[in-house]
Every structure is written in C-alpha cells, then in structure tokens.
Amino acid sequence: GRFPWREKLEDVHTNVEAAVTKITQHAKKMRTARSRNDQVCLDTRLYMRDAINELSASLLSLQHSLSELAKHDCIFPSYTHTQVAQPVSLSFWCHAHWQAIERDLERLPQLYARVNLNPLGSGAVAGTTWPIDRVYTSKLLGFESPTGNPMDSVGSRGELEAELLFSLYLAMSHASRMAEDIILLSNKRLLLLPDEFSTGSSMMPQKKNPDPLELIRGKTSRMLGLAIHAGGLLKGVPSGYNLDSQESKYALISGVETALSSFSILSQLLPCLKFDEQKISLELEEGYACATELADLLAKKGVPFRTSHELTGKIVRECIAKKKFLSSLSSAEVSKLAGVAISQKELLDAVSVDKVARFARSYKIPKMSQYASKLAERKNSLSLASKLLEKEVKAVIQ
C-alpha cells in the first residue's frame, strides 16, 4: 500500500517505469529487449521459488509434529469402511501420514527444478534481436539456466501454476484425511480436542466443536477448485501469449496462502492431542478387532485359512450373542472348536488389543534431520543467488 498507484498508467509495469524514470531518465530504456509477457513469467517463477521453499518448510513442520505426537505411543484403532478393523499403534498411524507427506515433499523439489528456469529474454513471443546474455541474467537471478523456446516460455504461463496447485491439492487432501481422523476419534470420545483448537456454540453450552479441522476439510475443496481453475485456463488457447493466463496468478497466490495456513494450524494442533487408552481398548474389544489375528493363529496351527476364517466368524457371533469379548475366551474352548491345540499364552497374544510393541519395532518415524538438511540446502542456494543479485545491483547503482 505504500507505492503511489496511478490508474491512468494502464498497469503495474508502466507504473514502475514511471516511478523509476523520476529517479533516472535511463529508466526509459527498461523496455529494451523485454516485454510484459516475459517479465510476468519471470516474476511468477521468482514468487513460486520462494513459495515452494516455504511450503516445503511447512510440510516438514507437519512431519515434525507427527514425530512429536508419536512419542506418546499407545494402542490405536484402525478402520475400514469407518468400521473397526484391527488394533494398531499411535506411532503406526503417525507413520502412515508421515509417508503421505513424504510424497508431497518429493513433488515440490521436482516442480522447483522446472520452475527454476529463466524466461527473461523471451520477449513478447519470438525473443529479441538484441544481443543479450540470457545465461548471465540467469546467473544473477539464481536460475539453473534459460528456458529453451520463447514462444513456449510465454505461451505456457499457467502450466507451472496448475502443477503446483494440483500438488497442493494432494497435500491438502492428506491434511484433510488427518483432520477427518481426528474429528472421528473425537466424536467417539477416544481423544480429547485441545481447547485452543476448538470452539463453543452460541446456544449450547456443552459444545466443543472441531472448527479448525472442519475448515481444513473445507479448504481442501477450495484447493481442488483453484487447481481446476488454473488447469482450465490452459485449454483452447492458441500458441503464444493470451491474456487468459492473467487469471492464474489469483489461483496461485490464493492456493499458496490457503495451504500455508492449513499446514500451520495442523502442525500446532497435532502435538496437543490427548488419547483415552481405556476407551480405545473398549472400542477395539467391542469391534472384535483381533479376529484376524485369531484366524491367523488357527491357520498357523494347520487349519486351512478359509476354515479358520469361518471358525473365527462363528466364535465372534457367539461372543456377540453372549455379550463377551475375544479376550475372555479360554484356550480349551477355542482348541475344542478348532480341533487343534492352542495354549492360553498363544491365545492371549493373538486376542490382546495392545499391539504397540509389534508396531514400534517395525515402523519408526524417521528423524527430522535428514529431511531438514534437504530444505536447508535449497534455501541456502536461493540465499546465495539473492546475495549475488544484491551485489550486482549495488555495482550497477555505483
């Protein structure tokens, strides 16, 4: 809001040129070998480089929050079709979401490499007759190299934006899945939502609503809309520059800001979650979550799995009818039904809902340092490019 804007000067480019011309008449040469087309491409790529680094840092913070939450390991329910499936552990759940974010973090550097090419010098559509040094300009601005074809450089505006927005939609869908899991577990009273990330009702005094989590779900729909918005601009336009692509900037900036705010809230919320292990245990018992382990035990004793599956189903039906859990079964009654010898210890190991030790051995969340170093390396590269540019600017001014 500090830049004096003059509407009669058409757009931002002529406003900047007019402002610099007040400082020096040499500013009248600013348009030499340049077009608004390649300058906007350039500015967008500069913005996207910073945005990708910031988004990567935000996703790393989300992974860090998962690793902090995993330190408070406990029994945890897994679901399929929203029905109780099998007992797992909290660290196992954290590791699953860690893996999803890891794919998001792989996509962003891949996109960064495509963004980090210099379109300046492409002109309006066909380059320029001036003998400019595009390699030197790329070096000053910290780009890997110049883009390959001027017509493609200005005509592909919106493509990188759409790619980033679709990558962000996938990342937001992962955040939304975490949010939905927390809402579901909260609704079952298996976890307690922290007060600072909940809201009350204007009418009902007892309410504790997961509003931030619901907003993350909602904003994921917005991100999909923005990705489709940007992708739709690429359809049905001829080669060269077309003003349709101006719309892509709105989608891009809105998407980046939406993703950053959503990842930040979720990162702060995760370590604050408190779980009720007694209620989780009851949820697993009532859902007969260890039925698969019991069927596997019978199969390991030589019972064909199809038969052990049917036998276990019968056992579960009888437990439901008698209002008892699998953990209350004796090895004698199971052995008699299955026709194989099973010890009480083997049975208890199979039907115990506490599987934390098994998952702790198999699935450990990686340390932050190995991923943080990648981000630090990328940020250092951009910092060096910025310092080089500042040095060159000072030399020109002097």
Side-chain angles (χ1 to χ4, degrees):
R2 295 190 298 271
F3 186 83
W5 186 262
R6 294 164 62 189
E7 289 187 7
K8 69 175 184 180
L9 292 179
E10 185 182 8
D11 60 18
V12 63
H13 305 276
T14 45
N15 266 274
V16 169
E17 184 177 336
V20 180
T21 302
K22 289 181 179 179
I23 301 171
T24 170
Q25 289 299 302
H26 295 297
K28 293 179 179 179
K29 296 182 179 182
M30 285 178 77
R31 304 258 59 84
T32 307
R34 289 182 188 168
S35 166
R36 288 179 295 191
N37 295 355
D38 60 350
Q39 280 196 294
V40 172
C41 288
L42 174 76
D43 293 345
T44 302
R45 287 170 184 259
L46 291 172
Y47 170 80
M48 288 183 70
R49 288 196 315 186
D50 286 336
I52 289 171
N53 281 335
E54 197 171 354
L55 288 161
S56 296
S58 187
L59 285 169
L60 281 168
S61 293
L62 195 48
Q63 281 191 323
H64 179 67
S65 293
L66 284 167
S67 66
E68 289 298 304
L69 180 60
K71 292 177 181 177
H72 308 288
D73 209 2
C74 63
I75 57 175
F76 200 83
S78 71
Y79 300 88
T80 61
H81 308 281
T82 68
Q83 305 298 308
V84 173
Q86 291 177 273
V88 292
S89 69
L90 175 58
S91 63
F92 183 77
W93 180 86
C94 291
H95 189 261
H97 290 292
W98 172 288
Q99 289 297 118
I101 298 168
E102 191 61 19
R103 292 193 296 277
D104 299 324
L105 282 165
E106 288 171 358
R107 291 185 188 98
L108 290 178
Q110 292 165 0
L111 176 58
Y112 188 96
R114 288 186 282 281
V115 169
N116 200 33
L117 299 174
N118 177 24
L120 201 59
S122 297
V125 68
T128 176
T129 57
W130 289 86
I132 60 174
D133 188 342
R134 296 188 68 210
V135 173
Y136 180 61
T137 309
S138 300
K139 179 185 174 185
L140 290 181
L141 295 173
F143 287 104
E144 185 66 29
S145 63
T147 54
N149 182 283
M151 184 180 290
D152 175 62
S153 297
V154 300
S156 62
R157 266 184 63 186
E159 181 180 317
L160 294 171
E161 294 93 310
E163 187 176 356
L164 177 58
L165 287 167
F166 186 72
S167 295
L168 291 181
Y169 164 66
L170 291 176
M172 283 290 292
S173 71
H174 296 148
S176 179
R177 184 181 302 159
M178 273 187 270
E180 174 60 16
D181 281 356
I182 297 166
I183 292 170
L184 175 66
L185 294 170
S186 169
N187 187 50
K188 289 173 172 281
R189 305 291 188 267
L190 303 183
L191 68 78
L192 182 66
L193 285 172
D195 289 342
E196 60 268 38
F197 294 99
S198 308
T199 61
S201 164
S202 59
M203 180 180 180
M204 298 172 283
Q206 86 283 8
K207 290 302 293 295
K208 192 173 186 181
N209 299 324
D211 282 7
L213 296 164
E214 292 172 349
L215 285 170
I216 288 172
R217 280 192 320 200
K219 289 179 185 296
T220 302
S221 297
R222 177 194 292 191
M223 191 67 73
L224 177 58
L226 292 170
I228 293 172
H229 174 180
L233 295 171
L234 306 174
K235 184 192 76 65
V237 290
S239 299
Y241 174 69
N242 300 276
L243 200 59
D244 309 48
S245 62
Q246 187 179 88
E247 280 288 303
S248 66
K249 291 196 293 294
Y250 163 80
L252 172 66
I253 294 169
S254 178
V256 168
E257 291 175 351
T258 297
L260 287 172
S261 61
S262 298
F263 298 154
S264 174
I265 290 291
L266 194 54
S267 293
Q268 295 171 61
L269 183 150
L270 282 170
C272 300
L273 296 175
K274 305 293 182 185
F275 296 88
D276 189 326
E277 294 188 48
Q278 285 188 329
K279 287 185 177 179
I280 291 173
S281 178
L282 183 60
E283 168 90 345
L284 292 168
E285 289 276 24
E286 289 179 336
Y288 298 93
C290 292
T292 303
E293 281 79 3
L294 178 55
D296 284 341
L297 173 62
L298 297 179
K300 289 172 184 176
K301 290 291 183 176
V303 180
F305 185 77
R306 176 50 55 203
T307 305
S308 73
H309 188 282
E310 291 171 357
L311 284 171
T312 304
K314 182 180 178 181
I315 291 171
V316 169
R317 285 193 296 274
E318 289 181 357
C319 284
I320 293 173
K322 295 177 180 178
K323 296 184 179 179
K324 57 192 282 189
F325 299 144
L326 292 177
S327 57
S328 66
L329 293 171
S330 71
S331 59
E333 55 187 320
V334 175
S335 297
K336 181 179 178 182
L337 183 64
V340 292
I342 298 172
S343 71
Q344 192 65 29
K345 182 181 183 305
E346 288 174 323
L347 179 62
L348 289 176
D349 285 345
V351 299
S352 169
V353 296
D354 188 350
K355 309 293 184 185
V356 173
R358 175 160 69 87
F359 287 107
R361 286 193 301 269
S362 304
Y363 300 97
K364 292 183 179 179
I365 295 210
K367 293 181 179 179
M368 266 296 283
S369 56
Q370 58 184 297
Y371 300 111
S373 62
K374 294 179 186 177
L375 180 65
E377 190 178 309
R378 195 181 315 128
K379 284 194 168 184
N380 184 55
S381 175
L382 191 60
S383 174
L384 291 173
S386 299
K387 288 176 181 177
L388 175 62
L389 177 60
E390 289 171 12
K391 178 182 175 183
E392 296 294 342
V393 168
K394 286 178 182 177
V396 170
I397 292 171
Q398 290 168 356

